[in-house]
Amino acid sequence: QVQLVESGGGLVQAGGSLRLSCAASRSAFTAFSVKTIGWYRQAPGKERELVASVGSVYSGARTNHADSVKGRFTISRDNSNRTVYLQMNSLKPEDTAVYYCNFPNAMTTWGQGTQVTVSS
């Protein structure tokens, strides 16, 4: 079972930046690079949503970003370290949520997530 550990969240003022990291356990080593992986977020009272994804090595690590974060967030991956990142710039209060990573096409158990709070 792959374990995912998210980190990097915190409290930031509107307009600020954060960089989130998600590390997959060693058991994912042989499969990490061939899976699309994404960042999700869940705000209080709302459903979890996919905000960005990055494709496998076979797709050239093609990225997709939700319209709500396009131009502000950038997803990237480091297959050698089994890690995916989310660089978040120009943060807005509506970005406040718990952020998670997972494989959209091969879901595994959710990690604990990392809290991002953006103050106005």
Side-chain angles (χ1 to χ4, degrees):
Q1 183 75 359
V2 175
Q3 291 183 320
L4 301 167
V5 179
E6 301 90 352
S7 62
L11 172 63
V12 64
Q13 288 188 335
S17 298
L18 286 172
R19 189 191 194 209
L20 307 184
S21 299
C22 168
S25 62
R26 188 165 182 80
S27 62
F29 185 79
T30 57
F32 184 83
S33 66
V34 303
K35 292 181 181 178
T36 296
I37 189 165
W39 279 98
Y40 297 75
R41 69 184 180 188
Q42 187 167 22
K46 294 188 177 181
E47 293 189 354
R48 197 170 298 181
E49 62 173 345
L50 178 66
V51 296
S53 64
V54 53
S56 72
V57 61
Y58 300 124
S59 75
R62 180 184 301 172
T63 60
N64 284 290
H65 298 80
D67 288 343
S68 58
V69 305
K70 200 168 291 184
R72 301 187 298 120
F73 292 10
T74 303
I75 190 171
S76 61
R77 67 190 298 166
D78 179 351
N79 291 326
S80 62
N81 289 309
R82 304 182 311 281
T83 302
V84 61
Y85 303 98
L86 188 67
Q87 178 65 44
M88 306 188 297
N89 299 326
S90 302
L91 282 160
K92 303 176 180 180
E94 51 264 43
D95 295 319
T96 295
V98 180
Y99 284 71
Y100 305 85
C101 64
N102 214 317
F103 303 98
N105 303 318
M107 286 285 183
T108 189
T109 303
W110 293 96
Q112 292 188 331
T114 186
Q115 175 71 49
V116 172
T117 303
V118 184
S119 63
S120 57

